[in-house]
């Protein structure tokens, strides 16, 4: 899964070039957040690898949402 995360982060950086990408680890969960410059701000997008829950807090086209889902599907893909 670790090699997949590097690839996913790279693709998300290409999709959101102006937004920081943060990885938060808690127990056995990894959460990927896009657009979180500080702890208080709400991310534009967050994805939990434990629950496979995606939260999008910014309006996007369906094509962009599909692209995001395809990228995030690689996180749990088998090596």
């Amino acid at each position: 899964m670790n090699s997949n995360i590097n690839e996913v982060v790279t693709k998300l950086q290409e999709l959101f070039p102006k937004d920081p990408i943060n990885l938060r680890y808690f127990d056995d969960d990894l959460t990927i957040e896009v657009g979180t410059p500080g702890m208080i701000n709400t991310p534009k997008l967050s994805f939990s690898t434990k629950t496979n829950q995606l939260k999008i807090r910014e309006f996007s086209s369906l094509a962009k949402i599909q692209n995001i889902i395809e990228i995030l599907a690689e996180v749990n893909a088998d090596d």
Side-chain angles (χ1 to χ4, degrees), residues 4-57:
N4 294 348
I5 291 172
N6 291 335
E7 191 172 328
V8 166
V9 169
T10 300
K11 289 180 179 182
L12 286 173
Q13 286 174 331
E14 291 171 3
L15 197 59
F16 299 96
K18 295 181 181 182
D19 296 312
I21 310 285
N22 292 324
L23 303 176
R24 288 189 311 119
Y25 294 93
F26 184 74
D27 289 332
D28 60 345
D29 186 25
L30 167 67
T31 301
I32 301 170
E33 297 178 331
V34 176
T36 53
M39 294 292 287
I40 298 172
N41 297 336
T42 302
K44 290 181 180 181
L45 177 149
S46 65
F47 176 73
S48 167
T49 59
K50 183 176 182 179
T51 63
N52 287 328
Q53 184 176 22
L54 172 63
K55 295 180 183 176
I56 300 175
R57 293 179 175 87

